[in-house]
Amino acid sequence: MNIAGVILAAGLGKRMSSSAPKVLHKIYGTPMLHYVLHRIHELNPQKVIVVVGKHCKEIKDTLEHVDSISFVYQREAKGTGDALLKAEQALKGFQGTVLVVNGDTPLIRRETLKKFLNLHKQKKNAISVLSFIAPNPGSYGRIIRDDSDRAVSIIEDRDATIIQKGIKEVNSGIYAIESEVLPLLKGIKLNESKGEYYLTDVISIAYDKGVRVDAFCIGSEDELMGVNTQGEIEKVRRIMREMIAQEWLKKGVNFVDINSVFISLNVTIGRDTQIYPNVYLEGSTKIGKGCTIYPNVRVLDSTIGDGAVIKDFTLIEGSVVKERASIGPFARIRPGSQIGEEARIGNFVEVKKSVIGSGTKAGHLSYLGDAKIGNNVNIGAGTITCNYDGHKKYITVIEDDVFVGSDSQLIAPVKVGRGAFIGAGSTITKDVSSMALATSRVKQRNIEDWVRKKQLKVKSEKLRVRKKAKR
Ligand code: UD1
Ligand code: CA
């Protein structure tokens, strides 16, 4: 099937009471529009067109990394009919089915879109509408059917009679339109009461001309609801959270409390991974098999290897944690880091843009930034790589099997050779050769009986003062 996707995203979203464009409101870190785009892309369309308006720049900026999208500009939000008409130019030369989707329908599933397109094809319709049953149809457009049960028009809630308002079958804002009937859009007249051109009017225009139209009532409100208010975004969040969590539950992920875990749409999780409450897995995160993620952890755009353990109150961003590593509690892994197999990053350790080798341990209170640390290194408590001189950042290299004593500072750029030993409390400013000992503390001095002598001195002084007072 030859498909072109058109997403309508030029509306003002007034009902959101927000200065941000409606379609960029985020659901678990991802703008609503991106969910819709993702679904369209899954259908392998020949082209994808997004109709943008006043917020055109902001919307384009969020999609910079996605190729194969053309943007069409609707200067004034004059309605959904006008929006699609603007896209018509960009569809010149395209022959096939134009799938039109409102940009505010983020819960739509691939299976439903496929089923809809198949029905459209099978029934040889020129225009099809995807409808659903809404127990409280509210502001949705109502589907009007003729005696033979064919959809003949869509009446917007504000224009509906009392009887029509009672109809529960409503328009989802998703349409399949054959390219050759696109010229019918030109017949849409201004709706005087709203001052807009309604795309929905194309149904009655087509029907009156004897063009084959119909509505397919598939899918549910939970999937097809449109978002117009902040309250509806909240509802979408809840539905999406439940839907995604249920999916991973089926795939063998174990949740201690499924109601408090937040997983973004593109996240993947391996089987037998156990997830504790209040965990956020966001962006393009991939969690391996048999991992344990303890409470209050957030992982963003990161890959966690099989069998890794992420302990309480840990934040991991843009990094790779390899198999069976252990991170936290209270650890922070900043973007560009790689934590090796079976490595251990303990409490109050911050790692930034650093490679930590396998089996290496940094158990407590450290800052490791711009460092390349080899395998089986011991990083003592309180170790700091001093990577910044106020102007530039420098690299610290620590080779395999090095022992860094507690409370050491490594002033970058500096290199510590394989197997070297840094004495606790050292400030390392020069490279250390392999197998050497480096210490930089002041030599210890012990003065025998110093305390006793001091006490005697204090005692005799007190005696002298008292005698003087008696006199
Ligand atoms: C629309 C439908 C309604 C349907 C509902 C489904 C019309 C007239 N009504 O109503 O039948 O039940 O969706 O959720 O189509 N947009 C533009 N340019 C504009 C106006 C809107 O691109 O000038 C975009 C919006 O950004 C939005 C989509 O079109 O993504 C729908 O617009 P919206 O104002 O939300 O329509 P509804 O009132 O929800
Ligand atoms: Ca809407």
Side-chain angles (χ1 to χ4, degrees):
M1 206 187 282
N2 235 358
I3 293 170
V6 178
I7 303 179
L8 307 184
L12 296 174
K14 284 189 194 144
R15 290 165 279 182
M16 295 296 285
S17 311
S18 158
S19 44
K22 174 168 82 173
V23 292
L24 290 189
H25 276 260
K26 288 182 177 169
I27 300 160
Y28 301 123
T30 303
M32 189 148 70
L33 174 66
H34 293 206
Y35 288 95
V36 179
L37 260 172
H38 181 72
R39 290 306 183 219
I40 300 268
H41 273 131
E42 281 177 333
L43 301 168
N44 296 318
Q46 230 180 52
K47 50 168 72 186
V48 177
I49 297 162
V50 181
V51 185
V52 289
K54 185 178 161 213
H55 298 286
C56 135
K57 186 175 178 316
E58 285 142 283
I59 293 176
K60 276 186 185 170
D61 285 353
T62 69
L63 292 167
E64 243 173 7
H65 59 290
V66 190
D67 1 287
S68 68
I69 300 181
S70 352
F71 293 94
V72 163
Y73 188 54
Q74 185 194 21
R75 198 164 55 88
E76 271 178 87
K78 288 195 288 190
T80 46
D82 180 65
L84 185 57
L85 202 57
K86 292 283 180 301
E88 209 201 350
Q89 273 294 325
L91 287 165
K92 278 248 149 65
F94 169 78
Q95 290 214 318
T97 308
V98 180
L99 178 69
V100 183
V101 183
N102 281 354
D104 62 0
T105 315
L107 292 164
I108 176 73
R109 288 183 307 133
R110 179 181 30 181
E111 295 73 27
T112 308
L113 284 177
K114 278 200 163 154
K115 193 169 163 189
F116 172 61
L117 288 168
N118 285 338
L119 280 166
H120 169 75
K121 191 103 200 147
Q122 241 174 49
K123 304 282 176 186
K124 298 191 169 61
N125 288 346
I127 303 180
S128 301
V129 181
L130 178 46
S131 63
F132 64 96
I133 301 295
N136 300 304
S139 67
Y140 291 115
R142 312 295 203 275
I143 306 287
I144 312 293
R145 291 183 179 268
D146 66 8
D147 294 341
S148 58
D149 216 25
R150 182 170 287 272
V152 299
S153 67
I154 299 173
I155 304 290
E156 289 304 293
D157 179 62
R158 56 187 297 147
D159 308 319
T161 61
I162 300 268
I163 293 177
Q164 287 168 335
K165 277 183 192 285
I167 298 173
K168 297 204 185 319
E169 186 189 357
V170 299
N171 169 25
S172 69
I174 297 169
Y175 317 82
I177 305 177
E178 288 308 301
S179 52
E180 59 265 23
V181 299
L182 284 173
L184 289 177
L185 293 171
K186 298 204 174 75
I188 298 177
K189 297 207 170 59
L190 185 75
N191 176 292
E192 300 288 348
S193 79
K194 183 98 191 272
E196 285 188 1
Y197 295 88
Y198 288 171
L199 174 53
T200 44
D201 284 351
V202 81
I203 305 300
S204 56
I205 293 173
Y207 182 80
D208 291 345
K209 288 206 152 72
V211 173
R212 228 182 134 75
V213 293
D214 209 353
F216 298 115
C217 193
I218 53 174
S220 63
E221 186 174 12
D222 271 4
E223 177 186 356
L224 296 167
M225 67 175 282
V227 173
N228 300 318
T229 62
Q230 299 279 0
E232 281 157 356
I233 284 230
E234 192 44 42
K235 191 172 169 196
V236 163
R237 254 189 218 119
R238 208 184 61 233
I239 295 170
M240 191 174 287
R241 194 189 59 63
E242 272 164 27
M243 188 180 82
I244 295 173
Q246 287 298 335
E247 193 178 316
W248 291 110
L249 201 61
K250 275 188 223 139
K251 290 183 180 161
V253 176
N254 184 308
F255 295 94
V256 173
D257 173 16
I258 199 165
N259 295 317
S260 69
V261 175
F262 301 86
I263 305 165
S264 293
L265 192 66
N266 296 334
V267 167
T268 62
I269 314 171
R271 63 195 301 165
D272 297 321
T273 281
Q274 188 174 36
I275 302 181
Y276 280 75
N278 212 18
V279 167
Y280 290 72
L281 306 176
E282 298 181 343
S284 57
T285 291
K286 291 183 174 54
I287 310 281
K289 289 180 273 193
C291 297
T292 308
I293 320 257
Y294 284 102
N296 305 302
V297 166
R298 185 155 78 92
V299 186
L300 171 69
D301 295 331
S302 298
T303 301
I304 311 292
D306 296 346
V309 177
I310 316 295
K311 294 182 181 162
D312 317 46
F313 295 97
T314 291
L315 168 61
I316 302 175
E317 294 173 280
S319 294
V320 175
V321 173
K322 298 242 176 126
E323 290 72 20
R324 299 176 303 285
S326 163
I327 316 283
F330 297 99
R332 179 175 183 201
I333 312 295
R334 290 170 54 192
S337 299
Q338 183 183 307
I339 314 296
E341 280 170 38
E342 290 177 29
R344 214 180 72 209
I345 303 295
N347 36 232
F348 307 107
V349 174
E350 174 178 346
V351 180
K352 188 218 92 177
K353 214 174 170 185
S354 294
V355 178
I356 312 287
S358 55
T360 287
K361 296 185 183 86
H364 341 258
L365 303 151
S366 280
Y367 172 68
L368 305 171
D370 301 300
K372 288 191 170 58
I373 302 177
N375 301 334
N376 302 313
V377 170
N378 180 79
I379 303 285
T383 296
I384 293 170
T385 56
C386 308
N387 56 337
Y388 187 49
D389 65 0
H391 298 285
K392 279 173 87 175
K393 302 263 167 71
Y394 301 94
I395 307 254
T396 300
V397 177
I398 302 174
E399 293 186 344
D400 296 349
D401 306 315
V402 165
F403 182 96
V404 180
S406 298
D407 194 26
S408 296
Q409 304 96 50
L410 297 125
I411 316 282
V414 73
K415 181 176 160 187
V416 182
R418 191 189 182 110
F421 196 106
I422 312 281
S426 296
T427 302
I428 303 300
T429 54
K430 289 182 285 195
D431 287 357
V432 180
S433 47
S434 171
M435 305 308 278
L437 164 69
T439 59
S440 74
R441 353 176 248 243
V442 177
K443 215 167 179 176
Q444 185 171 332
R445 190 162 67 110
N446 291 356
I447 304 172
E448 301 303 327
D449 264 345
W450 184 89
V451 176
R452 212 188 315 273
K453 280 177 196 159
K454 187 174 166 96
Q455 282 169 347
L456 281 173
K457 203 171 156 192
V458 172
K459 222 177 186 175
S460 64
E461 177 66 8
K462 275 187 187 159
L463 223 70
R464 200 177 57 81
V465 173
R466 231 182 277 154
K467 272 184 189 162
K468 203 173 162 186
K470 270 188 188 166
R471 261 198 250 125

